Amino acid sequence: MIQTDSSPSSPINRVVQKMKTEFSSDPLSWLVILGISSFFVFFMVFPLLFVLVNSVYYRGSVGFDAFTFLFTNPKFFDPIPSSDDYYIRLVKQEDGITVISLSGLDFGIILNSLIIAVMTTLLSLIFGIFTAFLMARVEFPGKSILGGLLLIPLILPPFVSGIGFFALFGLEQGIVNRFFLAPLFGIKLVFEGLFAIIFVQSLHYFTLIYLNVYSSLMNADPSMEESAENLGASRMTITRKITLPLAMPGIISGSILVFILALEDLGTPIIFGAFGDPIAKNTMTYYIQDNIFAGQETTEIVQDSAALGAILLITAIIGFMFLRKYVSLREYSMVSKGRAGEFRTYNPKIVIKVLIYLYFVFILLLSTLPHMGILYTSFFTPGSRQFTLDFYRVVFASSESSGFLLFVKNTLVYSFIATILIIILATLAGYVANRKKFPGQSAFDALVTIPIAIPGVVLGIGFIRMFGSFPGNWGLLTLNPIVFPPTLLIISYTVRKFPFTVRAVFAGLQQTDEVLEEAAQNLGANKPRVLFGIVVPLIAMNIVAGALVSLVYTMSEVSTTLILINKQSYGNIVWKLADISGGDIGVFSAVGVLLMAIQSLSLIGTNLLLKNRAEALTGI
Amino acid sequence: MVELKLKNIDVFYDDFHAVKHVSLDVKDAEIVTLLGPSGCGKTTLLRTIAGFIHPVAGTVLVDGKDITYFPPQKRNMGMIFQNYALWPHMTIEENIGFGLKIRGVPSDQIVKRVAELLKVVQLEGQEKKYPTQLSGGQQQRVALARALAIEPVVLLCDEPLSNLDYKLRVELRTEIRDIAKKMGVTVVYVTHDQTEALAISDRIAVINHGIIEQVGTPFQIFHDPDNLFVATFIGESNLFEGTIEQIQNNSVTIKLDAGITITKHFETQIELNVGDKVTVMTRYDGFKANEQYPVVFSGKVKHKAFMGTYIQFELSLGNGDSLFYNEQEALDLIQTLDIGDELTVSLPTEKILVFNGAGARLR
């Protein structure tokens, strides 16, 4: 018989006793910590582990064969691409028009994705930092309007922008090529391959860098720049030696975020792939969602996909670890106590101002072109430039059971339920993470913020692998996505878009003095009463704003949507958009415009509530 | 009848021993102030009484009942905080009535009670306003009313006046004392401001490095300190190093390093020997320029500052030590003195306090 040490003074007993005391003194917090941890372990950690295991354990054998295969097969890894590929090519057509194609070499699936992520990050950095500096430190009329316009790129997922791009630069139908470049200059401009994806993504993601750097610049202590000025430093020196280093954590965290998002983006490759661009299909996310099941009767994942998923996941998590390091560093440059006045801004000469406006016209034109393209093609017939409402009629005339209204309804149902779950979970999680000291706090903190870095496609295939064999007869609680996708889809939205709200809640709590809670406790309020009577009303704005951001992003979530939805009747707008992306551009655009409208409303609300606090928008 | 007893309280922050074996009795309706420098453990002790911190050892007793591990909400203690801690999303009425609502008091009675309390803190008619519409002083009055509304067994005050300007501080501390006395509430008050402590308290507990150095009435703490820390922390003091030259029964002759010889009579025989080092302390007042007391200091005027009701002199003594003294009476005489002039002042022997090498008072 095994003798266990259970005397009253044994260390185990004391630990158990301590845990009991700790739990009984604050049961609510402990239930939250345990509940939320279990939720994320069950719906995020486990599915991801399934993918990782699937990548090294396949049909009874263990090994790194899949990885060896990936790195020795030129389809996946091709550092020396074939000579047929080109960066830029000019071809004179029979009608005398020169087609200028901007493409890029095909370095194989793995390298392509990494190149896209790195190049998108670099381009976003250039535009993001420059824009943030202008907005934060230079004085010119119309700045507040520009502040709003700069958020436009956020209201369309990059893949809808992709369609907008075809509307403008498509070889035959593109408005710009057909009605502007060809008649006036005898040329047509075509974006293809990696170049097209990088271009579309950069125009979307530079906004995230801009928001991050802008918030770093606005939150720094003005006296830091002033003291340098006082000691005789020139404006250039101040920018180089003070402003930039202080904004560095913001710049780095913003770039890592863009890198991760660009790497895991599935929508853009899907669109360009659907329009027949072969190189666009050669990206990790495209390959994974196109090659999920290893066979007819199995929930096992194709091992190449699982291995690619593992590569994506590990890269993203490494990025996230750096991200956390720099996000905590950002606190250094923040004002801690009181703030000596406002930043004095630089009021440039008129010539410089004109140049600044030209820059903004250029950047806004580029970043809103896709939106204008979509808007145009939703009202005008392709080719004939005839105004029509037919596309909207198709959308609205469709019946609720099969047509677009069904997709709109599904979108709203999925997104709203997910957002409600997010509000509840994020408020509770943000509260304990901010207010309670407990062992394993940093692990908990990582658990609730890491979803921002988890590639949707990997989570998607993890869900299928893990839950695919679950019972399919639990009604609305059915987790098996093959039988009934909506429940797991809502959970996937909740997991993936949760960090945006938790970040906002956290920011709200940081600005709320804990003494307000102590005062209530002192007067006899118990924990739930303190939470719901004092804390929640005080940070209500932050919760609402964070929830709106989460809502906007759930409505445009692409990866798990496309992987999990397997039937028309469960389809939502994004799923339908991907379904018709190669087909009827007019109807597609009309749906895109509707999505844009719903998102704009949410985003305007968020902007009004959050003002310059970009944390919630970027989720870090 | 409410009596608060702290018995051998020990509080740790990880390895830091913040409160060391502290015991303190607070009698019914008494105002006791915890006074000490920043980081001395006074707020920690107050938060232990409130239940926000659990001590590692020791007990907190209210009327003999052990409440050491009661959660804050079960202690029925009112607390006012340095930054008021009024809930910005509630009106003044809702703030004050919060504790009553939790206790299930009917709303008409809450309204009545709130009105009464607003009258007590002189804020009648402000029920519907929000905290941000009030000044700092008014907000702290609301906080006081909120804490008193629940008829607390003990009122805890955590540096409640620190955020207010000087005039308001003086006004409000008198008011808090008057209201507490009128309502018969037991109060534990934390401050680092000695003037505030002297003015508001029935008794003061001087805390340093987590230990209570002395508990006594404000008069005792000021004029009859137990040790060098209390003597120097409260009020202004001159300190001189000296050596015992002669001991005759209870009479001891001390030679200061500044060259001055003092003979002082103690109540009992002191446990020191000839040649032992001591510290001699005087306050800035009690000196006379135009009278002959036994203890005489002579020196050159180093600084002279007009302070309104008195003139403060710094005299440079023979060995470079300084003597500060406040002249309140002979203003005409003294005003003619210039920097560098010689001045002789004297004071009675009983105004001299002597401490041994460990800082303990020799009585």
Side-chain angles (χ1 to χ4, degrees), chain B residues 69-82:
Chain B
Y69 294 100
F70 276 37
Q73 64 266 29
K74 301 272 182 220
R75 296 188 178 212
N76 202 38
M77 292 181 175
M79 186 157 176
I80 46 182
F81 300 84
Q82 184 173 343

Side-chain angles (χ1 to χ4, degrees), chain A residues 324-464:
Chain A
R324 269 173 70 85
K325 187 171 161 233
Y326 281 100
V327 171
S328 63
L329 267 181
R330 195 161 55 176
E331 313 286 323
Y332 282 129
S333 56
M334 298 275 191
V335 192
S336 51
K337 276 180 191 163
R339 167 165 158 168
E342 292 292 311
F343 276 105
R344 281 178 302 125
T345 42
Y346 165 62
N347 198 349
K349 291 195 193 92
I350 188 81
V351 183
I352 307 272
K353 270 188 190 157
V354 170
L355 287 176
I356 290 173
Y357 283 120
L358 283 176
Y359 167 76
F360 276 111
V361 167
F362 170 72
I363 192 97
L364 283 173
L365 207 63
L366 273 185
S367 57
T368 55
L369 266 180
H371 307 76
M372 293 190 274
I374 290 256
L375 205 59
Y376 179 87
T377 46
S378 77
F379 285 112
F380 291 89
T381 49
S384 62
R385 272 201 291 173
Q386 204 81 75
F387 179 84
T388 174
L389 287 174
D390 282 355
F391 306 130
Y392 286 93
R393 267 187 213 116
V394 171
V395 173
F396 286 107
S398 54
S399 79
E400 205 183 302
S401 59
S402 65
F404 282 97
L405 284 185
L406 170 75
F407 306 127
V408 172
K409 192 189 90 185
N410 282 345
T411 299
L412 293 178
V413 168
Y414 299 160
S415 296
F416 274 104
I417 297 177
T419 306
I420 289 166
L421 282 174
I422 288 173
I423 290 175
I424 297 168
L425 295 178
T427 305
L428 294 171
Y431 183 71
V432 293
N434 188 281
R435 289 293 199 253
K436 192 166 174 64
K437 283 207 176 348
F438 57 94
Q441 186 160 23
S442 67
F444 181 79
D445 206 58
L447 197 63
V448 298
T449 42
I450 205 169
I452 192 114
I454 302 298
V457 279
V458 186
L459 192 65
I461 59 173
F463 273 177
I464 286 190

Side-chain angles (χ1 to χ4, degrees), chain B residues 118-348:
Chain B
L118 281 175
K119 201 171 166 195
V120 172
V121 297
Q122 302 172 37
L123 286 171
E124 292 111 310
Q126 311 272 18
E127 285 89 343
K128 302 293 173 206
K129 284 193 176 167
Y130 282 90
T132 45
Q133 294 172 286
L134 303 184
S135 70
Q138 289 175 319
Q139 290 191 38
Q140 199 55 292
R141 284 198 170 95
V142 174
L144 176 63
R146 182 176 71 179
L148 290 172
I150 59 165
E151 292 175 12
V153 290
V154 181
L155 177 66
L156 306 172
C157 306
D158 187 8
E159 309 217 20
L161 306 180
S162 304
N163 283 4
L164 304 174
D165 61 46
Y166 177 73
K167 258 184 107 171
L168 210 54
R169 274 207 307 268
V170 173
E171 191 184 309
L172 220 59
R173 76 185 181 215
T174 319
E175 227 173 276
I176 291 178
R177 186 178 162 86
D178 288 351
I179 292 171
K181 287 294 163 195
K182 206 187 293 174
M183 300 181 103
V185 191
T186 309
V187 179
V188 181
Y189 193 101
V190 161
T191 182
H192 63 268
D193 179 342
Q194 42 168 303
T195 327
E196 197 172 301
L198 293 172
I200 205 167
S201 323
D202 293 324
R203 285 192 302 146
I204 295 173
V206 181
I207 303 182
N208 187 31
H209 295 311
I211 290 169
I212 294 192
E213 298 274 358
Q214 186 177 357
V215 185
T217 63
F219 188 89
Q220 285 168 336
I221 296 287
F222 191 87
H223 288 293
D224 197 11
D226 278 348
N227 56 47
L228 206 51
F229 175 79
V230 176
T232 49
F233 185 69
I234 311 278
E236 296 166 317
S237 49
N238 291 299
L239 297 179
F240 303 103
E241 299 301 319
T243 314
I244 295 181
E245 255 191 354
Q246 200 185 354
I247 304 178
Q248 218 164 36
N249 299 324
N250 290 356
S251 219
V252 177
T253 306
I254 301 161
K255 173 101 188 241
L256 300 187
D257 296 356
I260 295 144
T261 304
I262 298 165
T263 301
K264 187 169 167 74
H265 189 80
F266 291 93
E267 293 158 15
T268 53
Q269 180 130 27
I270 60 164
E271 289 173 359
L272 286 178
N273 301 313
V274 170
D276 283 353
K277 293 281 180 195
V278 290
T279 304
V280 166
M281 174 253 183
T282 78
R283 294 286 178 205
Y284 286 9
D285 39 20
F287 291 93
K288 299 284 180 204
N290 48 4
E291 281 180 56
Q292 284 297 311
Y293 286 120
V295 184
V296 180
F297 288 88
S298 291
K300 283 197 166 95
V301 174
K302 197 174 167 189
H303 289 116
K304 174 179 149 182
F306 178 68
M307 309 293 285
T309 54
Y310 60 93
I311 294 174
Q312 188 171 81
F313 284 96
E314 183 185 351
L315 300 185
S316 181
L317 306 181
N319 69 335
D321 278 2
S322 281
L323 170 85
F324 287 86
Y325 111 86
N326 297 340
E327 178 60 59
Q328 273 173 299
E329 289 164 13
L331 290 183
D332 296 347
L333 174 82
I334 294 303
Q335 256 178 349
T336 56
L337 279 173
D338 257 330
I339 307 295
D341 288 351
E342 279 287 339
L343 177 65
T344 299
V345 292
S346 65
L347 87 166

